[in-house]
Each structure stands twice: as structure tokens, then as C-alpha cells.
Amino acid sequence: MEINDINVTSYPGSEKVYMKGSIHDIRVPMRKVNLTPTVKIIDGERMTRENDPVYVYDTSGVYTDPEVTIDINRGLPRTREEWISRRDDIMQLDCITSEYGRKREADTSLDAIRFNHRHAPRCAKSGHNITQMALARRGIITPEMEYVAIRENMNNATLGIESHITPEFVRDEIAAGRAVLPANINHPESEPMIIGPAFLVKLNTNIGNSALSSGISEEVSKAVWSCYWGGDTLMDLSTGDNIHETREWIIRNCPVPVGTVPVYQALEKVHGDIGNLTWEIYRDTLIEQAEQGVDYFTIHAGVLRAHADFVGERLTGVVSRGGSIMLRWALMHDQENFLYTHFDEICEILARYDVAVSLGDGMRPGSIHDANDRSQFLELDVLGQLTEKAWSHNVQVLIEGPGHVPMQKIRENMDRQVSSCHGAPFYTLGPLTTDIAPGYDHITSAIGAAQIAWMGTAMICYVTPKEHLALPDLEDVRNGVIAYKIAAHAADVAKGHPGATVRDDAMSKARFEFRWKDQFNLSLDPERARRYYVESHKGDDRFCTMCGPNFCAMRISQSVINDCVNS
Amino acid sequence: MEINDINVTSYPGSEKVYMKGSIHDIRVPMRKVNLTPTVKIIDGERMTRENDPVYVYDTSGVYTDPEVTIDINRGLPRTREEWISRRDDIMQLDCITSEYGRKREADTSLDAIRFNHRHAPRCAKSGHNITQMALARRGIITPEMEYVAIRENMNNATLGIESHITPEFVRDEIAAGRAVLPANINHPESEPMIIGPAFLVKLNTNIGNSALSSGISEEVSKAVWSCYWGGDTLMDLSTGDNIHETREWIIRNCPVPVGTVPVYQALEKVHGDIGNLTWEIYRDTLIEQAEQGVDYFTIHAGVLRAHADFVGERLTGVVSRGGSIMLRWALMHDQENFLYTHFDEICEILARYDVAVSLGDGMRPGSIHDANDRSQFLELDVLGQLTEKAWSHNVQVLIEGPGHVPMQKIRENMDRQVSSCHGAPFYTLGPLTTDIAPGYDHITSAIGAAQIAWMGTAMICYVTPKEHLALPDLEDVRNGVIAYKIAAHAADVAKGHPGATVRDDAMSKARFEFRWKDQFNLSLDPERARRYYVESHKGDDRFCTMCGPNFCAMRISQSVINDCVNS
């Protein structure tokens, strides 16, 4: 199988630049937006003044580096591999460990869809704890930690500020569990990034096929597209055919951490029959995926059998797929959720590869009616207990959150999460602030996401316009990502992240000076901004069709300023 | 001239219904969404249970009433005319008062574009104060007041609740200046609505041509389209040719209150030359527009000459068109803003027709950098003084607000507005919470609008995706309105407006029961929701392509509930 249709190139008016580390030999990518000079006519003379370039956090990997030739069939450069191979606590395996993985490998009928440039997996040597958390607790600043410290401080040099976000600060946040640096040693293509309330708000995107739609090539395109527009992490939620092979293609070509919900694949292995799901199948799935390089697993270990008693109180029951599967399993077998009972063993597996756990909120509300109810908060308390357990294994932890929450109930979600889960980063889906706008749920949820991110949620999971209706296509991914970039950035500004307003100020200055090209290039979506302008533009750059020549406030305003200066 | 392309029909699955008044002989329109029954198979038997219909606030006028034949060339039914004609404090004029209006009327070259079914204007009899505020202060509950009280309480009967929003409450809010009921006696086609923090959050849409684009028929289409999707009021911001005639077409066909910024037309009358603008031209424009039926005027009377001193501190100067014009005028003439110096006379004119004043925020910030600065708050204090002056003339007052404001600075805007402006309703443009997303500013601003509306802003002015780039087309109007319906509704829910969650709950119940058609019909945009679903739908209504059959949480969840009920 070959994929040829990945079609993203460098951003307009921008350069790919790399900042060097001072502790480690690392190159941290950024997008440098070069601006045109300010031009003024003073006393008949054309005067110019340079404008500083703006550095933008860049999630697109080498897809936007014109120096790198992309070959989807070979995968991305394995930048982190050198760092990992130098470590003496990690070993390379001769072959993959999971039974299922081996079966797929032996199945020649899959050759046609297989990603062919595979790599032998790595894992921790026996007796070693290799996670970023374990290293941080031992006082070690890893290359990954220095990388994210540089990455979070894009415009410091321009601003002439010293940020508090140093490599040591990063280490400390990870050690305390307040931040997660997803970095499976089997995903060396991933560019390090960090998730925590002290850092830039991150956004996750969901892709993946279902039994009813989408093939491998389409999903890889969505993954790259998501990174191009600004997705910080990517969840592959595939539930259809060939999940194993689809994932391999995605991970090998994905420059951001990849998450999954392993129970989806486990259930596919028993043909969707919840009754036949077992811990053993699930366990094998964890190992299979960890060795492919999945960086974090959503695990619905907090949904307990007893919580089922409260589901009948709800308008929309259990809307988490993983949560509903585990609850149904517990009731069918009259046993406790096996993810809860086997949680220590799960952590041992995760620690071996440095897979982070994202504790799933199986009881997240699926309607504003069900928000902040008893099932939801009972589960949150369980997630708090599991957090401490995971940390005792040095497994990094994210806590997943709702869902559908009306604005007046958002604050309680954040406060309770902080107190129940000991400061582990919160990772919410939206929340959607109303139920009545299918087709526009990227907006209903961006409203909630901006608020909860401002309050301290570290990562927000996007919702596309197709939520509740269908799987997203490429254009939906783009619309979802941009809506969430807006929410995340609005929160960064509100939180006062160092340098967060540099891009806003550069944009507004360009706007006031009618530097249209700079405005487009500084936009979250340069292509769309430019297109809207060009489609209705009539040739004079000193105004646009909104106001026409006589009603352009900015033009008149410049006269006002001139009057004041000259008077 | 004839317009034939208005193409909106009744909403799917809905009926136009009318509620009767008990004080006055009035019929208040609502949209009744009829739902299908819940069906369950219990012990092999098909059991059904009816679902209550949901009543939805309906801004679309008779365009969605199949009993009414629409003729754009004759205008809408003049429902309020009978109420007005009964009043002995109002008289009918023989001809229009404004000089400019008469000149246009005499100009036969305009026959081709003229709206032909004109009506003689009305105004207050000498010595009478006819505004809704004057009447409210005299203890009179007008038909308009009872109308809005009924309209604000759509689902009370279903809920079996008694709302505090009674006709007497409405009267009291208007009397106190805490609410505005825009009701120019020359716009009897308008269906009464109310703007105040105690009521449902309203949304305004802006349409209008500029010198560079759009004709009359297109603007009328946008007006109707805006009402169809849920716009509560409409501002005609035309600045191009034939403003007078365009406005006549719009007002005669607009079922919601219409606002304008009269200085735009006044400036057109002097061919865009600010130096030639005079109070006399402006005054004539006010009368011209008041007699056409404009319900509220944005008047930038709070921008004072002294404020110019602080404009240089800003990144984006003055971004209000009206504000920049008046400031420039003041500086050019070395005089105080004539809207400020003539404010009493302005109020006298407005009171004669019951035109409300929307005090423009000429100093609103045009970038998050400029938010909450000295120019902005100095002007706000002046708006507070003008509010008291307007109230002394029984003129209803709205206060316009920003603009671009980062989230952490929104609260101060609301608090200062309340304290400076004595509780007059706040009417904000967004605010946009970041500057970096041209092409998506309906989203950057819906995030801010939802927050400020929750805090008490009574009306939010939409922003379309084309903001900062071009004039909106029909699709932009739709996207802008829906984004703002979401923000307004999220705020109504957060504020606890009686019955605000009825539609959400009905939607979520329909969702949990896979009643797809009901979900579409209850959506803010039924057409888009349905289309997204249908385009990817594979035939089985028990799930959608998001999850496919085995991973539908709602289906599994229903089994969970059954298990619990049966155990």
C-alpha cells in the first residue's frame, strides 16, 4: 500500500526555524512569521520601519519544512530515537510481544495494507522505571524537558523577557504530576510537548474510522491535516476494520503524541460482543498498542458497577463509549470493572513504555441536564484514587472531563477536579454549553472550552461541526481545530502566559496599518482569511468592502492621530 | 422595482401558533415544534408515549406563517397600526417632514427603485410624550408590553410554572430604564420585543451595503434571512448609494426592530467629506429616518474632543466608524462633538416617534491591546450622563459596548457599565476575545458574547466570519446569527431564565431515543443538522456514522438501564 495524497506545504510568509538547546543537543521547531515594514509618508517622503517577526508554536512537524522530503510510506524522521537509544535503562526487543500483533504480522493477506517500514519495539529493562515522571523525580532534565521549555517560550527573545518556564520548572511540574509530557519510547517521531496548567493550553483532535466509514489513507490525511492546523495531540478512535494497521500508518507519520482508547480495539477483537470481552484480551491490546508507540491511553477505570444505580436518573445515560462498554461488562458479569481491579498491572505495562494514562470519564454528562450530577462526581473521586496509584508507578496521568455543561456549572467541574485529582492536568471535551445546536457544536463547545481552559484545564479536546451527526471529514477537522485554537489562545491570553499577546498585537498593528498580507500570514487560518478578502476585494488596499473608502474608521482614525500630533 | 427572491418558508416539523393576550386583543406568534412519540418495545409489545411540543421564540414574522401570503412589494401586515391609531396622543402627518425625504420623493429618477406602498408618517401630538417609557412611568401597560411578557414565557404552560415576567414586571423594567422596548410608531410591522437583563438575551444583526457592494434586493433578502435564523433586531448600516430607498424596503418588510447609525447617511449627503458635515444635515436625517420607522439610532454623542488626546496611546486608534467621524469633525472644526452639544434636541426628536437611542461607543477597543483603556472608560462615563438626560425626555436608552476584550477583562466592562450607566441595558459587539482569527470572528466573539451576556448584557451584536475582511453574504449572516443564538441561549441557561432548558432537554431526550427527525427540528439550524446526518447516513436509524452499531454509547447505555431496572 502507498499513500501519496498528503498535500500540506509550508505556511505562507513563514519560515521553519529551529532553536537550539543549551543543555542537550536538540533543535526545537518554530514557525517564524516574517512581517513587512511599516510605511509612512511623512512630508512627502516614504519612511519605513521594520516590524519584528512573530514566532508561532508549530505543531506541523517537518511537513512544513521545505528542507525535508516527506515520504508517508517510510514515516517521519525518528528524531527522538537517538536520545532513547543512548539510555541504558531501555532495551530493544527482538520481536513484538503481543499475541495479536504477531498474528497480524504473520497474516499475509494484510500485506496489501501494511505499513512496511517497521521498527523493532523498545521497552524498559527489567527493574528500571523509565518514564519522564520517574526521571523528573530523580532530578534529571531530559532532552524532552528542555525541548518543551524552549517551545513554550517562542517570543521571549523578541520581548526581551525571561520566562519562569525553564527546563528545571518543567522537570518540577512533571515530577509533581502537575504536567504530562507524553513520550512513548516507541514513538520517536513525536516532537515533545507538555500538558499542564502552567503551560500553553493544548488541544487534542479525534480522528479514526468507524465500521461505517473511512479508510487508512483518509485517516492519515486527517492526522497530518490536524497537525497542520494546530492540533497538539491526536487521538485515533478507530473502531472499524484494520485498526492495528491504520494505527501503524498514523503513528509513523504523526509528529504529535497519539492517544487511543484501547477498549475499542479489544471489543473489535471479540466482534463487538461485550460479553466476550476479557482482561486478557485487553491486556494484550495494551501491549500491542504500547509497542506501536501510542503515547497515552484513555482508560475508563473509574466507572464502577455501583455507579450504574444512578444512570437511570439521567436524561442521556452514559454517553462515553468506553464507559458504557465497561459498565455493561460489569453488569453482565456481575463483577467489578476489570480496568479498576487490574489497574496496578495496567500501570506496570504503561510504565514499561512510558505511556501516559488518561483516566476516562465514563460518566461524563451527555446533556446539560445531566451535568455535575452524582454519577459524574462519584467517578471523579475514583479517578483521584487511581491518580495516586498511577503516580506510585511513575505513570503520568491526565484526567478527562466533560462533555455537556452549562456555563454556570463549569467552575464546579474545575474546582472539584483539582481537589479530587491532586492537581493532575485536566483534559476536557468542550464542554458544550447547550444541546440545541447540532451542526455547530464546535462553537457551543469552544465557548465552554475557553472558559474551562482559562480556569486551568490543561488540554481541551476539540469537537467538530459534525459531532452528534457523523464522522468529521477534512474540512470539519480544520474547522474544529481552528475553533479550539481560538479557545486555547483566548485562555492563554486570559491566563497571562508569557508572550501570549505578541501575535494579537502584531495582527492589530498590521490591521491598523493596512498591511493585509501580514494580517493573513498572522492568522490562524491564512488561507481562509486571504480568500474572504480577495473574493470581495476591489483593488485598493487602503480599505476593504466592509466600509468602503469614506467609512473606514482606521483611516479616519489615523487622521485624528495626525491632527493630535500636529496640534 | 419588484423583489421576488425572498425564499423562506415555515420551519420543518413546526407550526406557527399565536397566543392571545388577556389585557389586550393581541396575538403573539410562537413556533411550536411538534415531536414524535417515544417508542419502546416492552415484552415484545410496541409501547408509545407522547412527547410535549416545544415552543420556540420566533423572530421570523409571518414569513413562516403559511396562512399569510408574502408580498415584498407591499410590505408586511401592519399589526401595530391599529393599536397606534387608537391612541389620542399621536397624529398622522400629511406629508413627511424632512427636507431630504421630500427631495427624494420628488425625484422621479428614483421611481425605478422606490418602494411604492408608502404610508403617511405619524408623530406625537404637541405636548404629549408618547414613548413606551413615558407610558410605563404613567403606569400604563401597553399592548406592546403585554405582548413581550407573553413572548418571553414560551414554555410556561408546558412546565406548569408561573414566571415572574408579567406585563406589570415588563412595565416596571421599562419605567426604570432597565429594559428597552423599541417601537417606533412608524414601524407598525415590527413585532414587539424587549431588551433588558431580566429578559431573554437578544441578538442584533448588521446588514447594509457599502459603496463597494450589494444592492437593495440583496439587503432585503439578508434582512429576512436574519429574522428567519433568529435575529432579534436588525441594523441597516448601509453607507453606499440610495440609503433612503434601501431602508424603506427593509423597514416595510422587517418584522423586528430596525436600527441605524444616522451619521452614516448624513456623511453620504456631504459626499463623505467630514468637514462639510453639519448639525442641520444630521438633524434632518434623524427626522427622515424616524418617519420611515427606524426603531433605534446609534448616536456617538459620548466621544468628546478631549478624548482625542488618548487615541495615540492605542494600537488601533478609533475603530468605530461613527466615533472616528465625530472625533475628526470635532478636531477639524475645533468644536465639541455636535451630537453631545445638541443631545437634548436629539432626544426631543426621538421622543416624538418613540425612537430609542443606542449610545454608541465611539471609543470601543479595536484590539485586545486597547481593551479597558482610559479612552474607553472616559467615554462610558459620558454615556452615563447622557443616559440620564435621555431618560428625562422619556427616551429609551441602550448602551453600546466593545469590541475586542480578552476574557480576563470582560467582567470589568460589565461592572463599569452598570455603575456608570444606571442600569440601562448593555448592548455589546461580541466582544472578540482574540485578534488572530480573521475568517472565524463569529467564534472569537461568540466566546466573549456568551460570557458578557451571562454577566448581564441584554443584547449582543453578532459578528460574522467575514468581519475585518469583507461584507457578509447570506451564508455569513446565517453563520453569524447561529453562533450568536448559541451564545445568547447559553447565557439564558446560565442565568436561569424560566424555561430556558426546555429545548435542550427535549433535544437530549430525542437524542437518547434516536428520534432523529425531532433532533433536526429542535436544532437552531434544522437544515444543516439534517444535511450533515443524511450525507453520511447508511440507513439504520439506531446509530450514526460517528460510532457505528457496536460503539454507540447511547444504545449500550440503554441496556445498562434495562439491566438495572430488571435487577
Side-chain angles (χ1 to χ4, degrees):
Chain A
M1 180 180 173
E2 297 229 336
I3 295 182
N4 301 307
D5 65 347
I6 301 297
N7 195 15
V8 306
T9 52
S10 19
Y11 298 103
S14 302
E15 280 176 77
K16 189 90 175 181
V17 296
Y18 294 91
M19 305 264 182
K20 289 194 167 171
S22 55
I23 307 173
H24 297 281
D25 180 20
I26 54 175
R27 293 167 76 230
V28 182
M30 282 174 201
R31 174 181 161 208
K32 181 181 175 195
V33 186
N34 293 307
L35 304 180
T36 60
T38 298
V39 178
K40 288 191 180 169
I41 310 294
I42 298 175
D43 301 331
E45 269 191 292
R46 187 174 178 279
M47 314 290 282
T48 65
R49 203 182 58 240
E50 292 305 312
N51 285 296
D52 287 333
V54 172
Y55 293 87
V56 171
Y57 192 101
D58 185 357
T59 55
S60 64
V62 292
Y63 291 103
T64 54
D65 186 340
E67 305 293 312
V68 178
T69 308
I70 300 294
D71 183 351
I72 296 290
N73 304 292
R74 297 193 68 90
L76 292 175
R78 293 164 67 82
T79 311
R80 285 177 56 231
E81 191 159 48
E82 204 202 314
W83 317 345
I84 295 162
S85 64
R86 273 201 306 262
R87 288 171 56 177
D88 54 14
D89 51 356
I90 292 173
M91 64 184 180
Q92 189 142 15
L93 297 166
D94 296 331
C95 62
I96 60 181
T97 311
S98 82
E99 231 175 274
Y100 182 84
R102 288 186 200 173
K103 218 167 64 190
R104 297 297 284 195
E105 210 163 44
D107 185 344
T108 52
S109 78
L110 296 170
D111 288 352
I113 59 162
R114 219 189 299 276
F115 181 85
N116 281 317
H117 289 271
R118 270 153 313 139
H119 305 269
R122 287 189 165 87
C123 80
K125 285 182 183 163
S126 174
H128 289 271
N129 198 310
I130 62 155
T131 69
Q132 295 288 324
M133 187 180 213
L135 299 171
R137 285 172 166 183
R138 295 211 298 273
I140 298 166
I141 293 173
T142 63
E144 286 87 350
M145 294 174 202
E146 188 188 15
Y147 192 105
V148 303
I150 295 170
R151 209 173 183 189
E152 294 277 324
N153 290 303
M154 297 155 294
N155 289 290
N156 285 12
T158 316
L159 292 169
I161 57 169
E162 292 255 348
S163 162
H164 65 281
I165 301 173
T166 61
E168 173 56 25
F169 177 81
V170 169
R171 189 203 59 70
D172 198 51
E173 290 293 295
I174 295 171
R178 287 188 301 265
V180 168
L181 196 163
N184 186 329
I185 54 173
N186 292 309
H187 187 199
E189 300 90 347
S190 174
E191 297 177 347
M193 53 79 70
I194 193 157
I195 305 162
F199 302 98
L200 287 162
V201 174
K202 302 304 185 298
L203 78 95
N204 174 71
T205 70
N206 294 332
I207 61 158
N209 58 355
S210 77
L212 299 175
S213 79
S214 195
I216 291 177
S217 142
E218 197 179 329
E219 294 308 319
V220 175
S221 296
K222 279 187 209 166
V224 175
W225 193 242
S226 157
C227 298
Y228 179 80
W229 291 112
D232 292 289
T233 62
L234 179 87
M235 291 197 79
D236 173 16
L237 301 185
S238 292
T239 57
D241 292 334
N242 307 317
I243 298 182
H244 180 87
E245 289 69 28
T246 304
R247 189 167 45 237
E248 188 73 26
W249 279 96
I250 290 173
I251 293 175
R252 298 287 75 82
N253 286 292
C254 190
V256 305
V258 172
T260 63
V261 187
V263 78
Y264 294 174
Q265 190 187 5
L267 187 62
E268 283 292 339
K269 290 176 181 175
V270 294
H271 312 292
D273 185 341
I274 295 175
N276 290 334
L277 198 60
T278 65
W279 157 244
E280 289 69 28
I281 291 169
Y282 185 86
R283 186 183 172 284
D284 193 64
T285 306
L286 288 184
I287 296 168
E288 169 201 348
Q289 297 196 9
E291 293 189 356
Q292 285 186 300
V294 174
D295 299 281
Y296 59 100
F297 289 144
T298 292
I299 299 183
H300 296 89
V303 189
L304 302 188
R305 201 165 139 210
H307 299 167
D309 294 343
F310 310 118
V311 173
E313 294 171 0
R314 294 187 139 189
L315 192 54
T316 46
V318 183
V319 298
S320 149
R321 293 192 277 184
S324 65
I325 293 165
M326 294 320 299
L327 200 56
R328 180 102 174 100
W329 185 92
L331 293 170
M332 286 172 91
H333 294 83
D334 200 14
Q335 288 175 32
E336 192 50 277
N337 173 356
F338 64 71
L339 300 176
Y340 180 80
T341 55
H342 289 272
F343 194 69
D344 275 310
E345 199 174 342
I346 289 172
C347 290
E348 284 163 18
I349 295 168
L350 269 51
R352 228 176 285 154
Y353 306 93
D354 201 0
V355 179
V357 61
S358 186
L359 289 168
D361 54 336
M363 289 297 180
R364 71 165 175 269
S367 53
I368 62 169
H369 178 276
D370 294 347
N372 297 19
D373 74 351
R374 148 151 94 148
S375 333
Q376 187 193 332
F377 288 137
L378 277 173
E379 183 191 33
L380 189 62
D381 291 339
V382 180
L383 300 188
Q385 298 158 22
L386 296 170
T387 298
E388 292 185 297
K389 196 170 266 197
W391 284 348
S392 74
H393 294 272
N394 290 307
V395 169
Q396 305 188 82
V397 179
L398 295 168
I399 306 292
E400 296 189 11
H404 291 239
V405 185
M407 290 194 289
Q408 81 278 17
K409 294 190 176 178
I410 290 177
R411 165 64 69 187
E412 187 183 5
N413 274 276
M414 191 68 230
D415 290 347
R416 286 223 192 204
Q417 190 273 342
V418 170
S419 68
S420 295
C421 299
H422 321 290
F426 205 22
Y427 162 32
T428 61
L429 177 68
L432 288 75
T433 52
T434 164
D435 305 342
I436 65 172
Y440 298 81
D441 278 330
H442 60 313
I443 301 176
T444 63
S445 65
I447 290 171
Q451 290 179 35
I452 205 161
W454 176 20
M455 294 171 192
T457 289
M459 184 155 76
I460 48 182
C461 179
Y462 88 166
V463 173
T464 80
K466 293 273 170 68
E467 184 75 20
H468 299 114
L469 299 167
L471 277 182
D473 60 21
L474 282 178
E475 195 59 14
D476 298 316
V477 170
R478 174 187 187 167
N479 282 314
V481 171
I482 302 290
Y484 273 67
K485 285 297 284 182
I486 291 168
H489 182 70
D492 289 334
V493 169
K495 287 167 71 178
H497 189 91
T501 58
V502 169
R503 191 174 180 179
D504 294 84
D505 294 348
M507 169 70 83
S508 292
K509 186 164 186 287
R511 200 168 261 159
F512 197 60
E513 294 171 357
F514 299 95
R515 289 184 279 115
W516 289 100
K517 209 189 278 183
D518 291 345
Q519 289 179 57
F520 306 144
N521 295 343
L522 286 164
S523 296
L524 288 179
D525 186 340
E527 188 279 327
R528 188 170 293 182
R530 192 178 163 279
R531 179 159 43 84
Y532 283 175
Y533 175 77
V534 168
E535 279 170 2
S536 79
H537 186 53
K538 304 289 201 299
D540 188 332
D541 277 349
R542 288 167 304 158
F543 47 83
C544 73
T545 56
M546 278 195 77
C547 306
N550 293 335
F551 286 89
C552 176
M554 293 205 178
R555 283 183 78 184
I556 300 170
S557 177
Q558 288 179 340
S559 311
V560 168
I561 294 170
N562 290 341
D563 287 352
C564 294
V565 170
N566 298 334
S567 68
Chain B
M1 180 180 172
E2 298 229 333
I3 296 182
N4 302 305
D5 65 347
I6 301 297
N7 195 17
V8 307
T9 52
S10 11
Y11 298 103
S14 301
E15 280 175 77
K16 188 90 175 184
V17 295
Y18 293 89
M19 306 265 182
K20 289 197 166 166
S22 54
I23 306 173
H24 295 281
D25 180 22
I26 54 176
R27 293 166 78 228
V28 181
M30 284 175 195
R31 173 181 160 207
K32 182 183 176 193
V33 186
N34 293 307
L35 303 180
T36 60
T38 298
V39 178
K40 287 190 180 170
I41 309 295
I42 298 173
D43 301 332
E45 269 190 292
R46 187 175 179 280
M47 314 289 283
T48 65
R49 201 182 61 242
E50 293 303 314
N51 284 296
D52 286 333
V54 172
Y55 293 87
V56 171
Y57 192 100
D58 185 356
T59 55
S60 64
V62 292
Y63 291 102
T64 55
D65 186 341
E67 305 293 313
V68 178
T69 309
I70 300 293
D71 183 351
I72 296 290
N73 303 292
R74 299 193 66 90
L76 292 174
R78 294 165 65 83
T79 312
R80 284 176 57 232
E81 191 159 50
E82 204 202 315
W83 317 343
I84 295 161
S85 63
R86 274 202 304 263
R87 288 172 57 179
D88 54 13
D89 52 357
I90 293 173
M91 63 183 183
Q92 189 143 13
L93 297 166
D94 296 330
C95 61
I96 60 181
T97 311
S98 81
E99 230 175 275
Y100 183 83
R102 288 186 202 174
K103 216 167 66 191
R104 298 298 283 194
E105 212 164 40
D107 185 345
T108 52
S109 78
L110 297 169
D111 288 353
I113 58 161
R114 216 189 302 275
F115 181 84
N116 280 317
H117 288 271
R118 267 152 315 137
H119 305 268
R122 286 187 165 87
C123 80
K125 285 183 183 163
S126 176
H128 290 270
N129 200 310
I130 62 156
T131 70
Q132 295 287 324
M133 187 179 214
L135 299 170
R137 286 173 165 182
R138 296 211 298 271
I140 298 168
I141 294 173
T142 62
E144 287 85 350
M145 295 174 200
E146 188 188 15
Y147 193 106
V148 302
I150 295 170
R151 208 174 184 189
E152 294 277 323
N153 289 303
M154 297 155 294
N155 290 289
N156 285 11
T158 316
L159 292 169
I161 57 168
E162 293 254 350
S163 161
H164 64 282
I165 301 173
T166 60
E168 173 55 26
F169 178 81
V170 169
R171 188 204 59 70
D172 198 50
E173 290 292 295
I174 295 171
R178 286 188 301 265
V180 168
L181 197 164
N184 185 330
I185 54 173
N186 292 308
H187 188 200
E189 299 90 349
S190 173
E191 296 177 347
M193 53 79 70
I194 193 158
I195 305 162
F199 303 97
L200 288 161
V201 174
K202 303 304 186 298
L203 78 95
N204 175 71
T205 70
N206 293 333
I207 62 158
N209 58 354
S210 77
L212 299 175
S213 78
S214 194
I216 290 178
S217 145
E218 198 178 328
E219 294 308 320
V220 175
S221 296
K222 279 188 206 163
V224 174
W225 191 242
S226 157
C227 297
Y228 179 81
W229 291 112
D232 291 289
T233 62
L234 178 87
M235 290 197 81
D236 173 15
L237 302 185
S238 292
T239 56
D241 292 334
N242 307 316
I243 298 182
H244 180 86
E245 289 69 29
T246 305
R247 187 166 47 237
E248 187 74 26
W249 279 95
I250 291 173
I251 293 174
R252 297 287 75 81
N253 286 292
C254 190
V256 305
V258 172
T260 63
V261 188
V263 78
Y264 295 175
Q265 191 188 4
L267 187 61
E268 283 293 339
K269 290 177 183 176
V270 294
H271 312 291
D273 185 341
I274 296 176
N276 290 334
L277 199 59
T278 64
W279 157 245
E280 288 68 30
I281 291 169
Y282 185 85
R283 185 181 174 282
D284 193 63
T285 306
L286 288 184
I287 296 170
E288 170 201 347
Q289 298 196 8
E291 293 190 357
Q292 284 186 300
V294 173
D295 299 281
Y296 59 100
F297 291 143
T298 293
I299 298 182
H300 298 90
V303 191
L304 301 188
R305 201 164 136 211
H307 299 165
D309 294 345
F310 309 120
V311 173
E313 294 171 359
R314 296 188 135 185
L315 194 53
T316 45
V318 183
V319 297
S320 149
R321 294 192 275 183
S324 65
I325 293 164
M326 294 319 301
L327 200 55
R328 181 103 174 98
W329 186 92
L331 293 171
M332 287 172 90
H333 293 84
D334 199 13
Q335 288 175 30
E336 192 52 278
N337 175 355
F338 64 72
L339 301 176
Y340 180 78
T341 53
H342 288 271
F343 195 68
D344 275 308
E345 198 175 342
I346 289 173
C347 291
E348 283 163 20
I349 295 168
L350 269 52
R352 229 176 283 155
Y353 307 93
D354 201 359
V355 178
V357 61
S358 186
L359 289 169
D361 54 336
M363 288 296 180
R364 70 166 177 268
S367 54
I368 62 169
H369 177 277
D370 294 346
N372 298 18
D373 74 350
R374 151 151 91 145
S375 333
Q376 187 191 333
F377 289 137
L378 277 173
E379 183 192 30
L380 189 62
D381 291 339
V382 180
L383 300 188
Q385 300 157 21
L386 295 171
T387 299
E388 293 187 296
K389 196 170 266 197
W391 284 347
S392 75
H393 293 273
N394 290 306
V395 169
Q396 306 188 81
V397 179
L398 295 168
I399 306 292
E400 297 190 10
H404 291 240
V405 185
M407 290 194 290
Q408 81 279 16
K409 294 191 176 178
I410 290 178
R411 164 65 68 188
E412 187 184 6
N413 275 274
M414 190 70 229
D415 291 348
R416 286 223 192 202
Q417 189 273 341
V418 170
S419 68
S420 294
C421 299
H422 322 290
F426 205 21
Y427 161 33
T428 62
L429 178 66
L432 288 75
T433 52
T434 163
D435 305 341
I436 66 173
Y440 298 81
D441 278 329
H442 59 314
I443 301 178
T444 63
S445 66
I447 289 171
Q451 290 179 35
I452 205 162
W454 175 20
M455 294 171 192
T457 289
M459 183 153 79
I460 47 183
C461 179
Y462 87 165
V463 173
T464 80
K466 294 272 170 71
E467 186 74 19
H468 298 114
L469 299 167
L471 276 184
D473 61 21
L474 281 178
E475 196 60 13
D476 299 317
V477 169
R478 176 187 187 166
N479 282 314
V481 171
I482 301 290
Y484 273 68
K485 285 297 284 183
I486 290 168
H489 182 70
D492 289 333
V493 169
K495 288 167 70 180
H497 188 91
T501 60
V502 169
R503 190 173 179 179
D504 295 86
D505 294 349
M507 168 71 83
S508 292
K509 186 165 187 284
R511 199 167 260 159
F512 196 59
E513 294 171 356
F514 298 95
R515 289 184 279 115
W516 289 100
K517 208 189 283 183
D518 291 346
Q519 289 179 59
F520 306 144
N521 295 342
L522 285 164
S523 297
L524 287 179
D525 186 340
E527 188 279 327
R528 187 169 295 182
R530 190 176 164 280
R531 179 158 46 83
Y532 283 174
Y533 175 78
V534 169
E535 278 170 2
S536 78
H537 187 54
K538 303 293 202 294
D540 188 331
D541 276 348
R542 289 166 305 159
F543 46 82
C544 73
T545 55
M546 278 195 78
C547 307
N550 292 335
F551 285 89
C552 176
M554 291 208 178
R555 283 185 77 185
I556 300 170
S557 177
Q558 287 179 342
S559 311
V560 168
I561 293 170
N562 290 341
D563 287 353
C564 294
V565 170
N566 299 334
S567 69

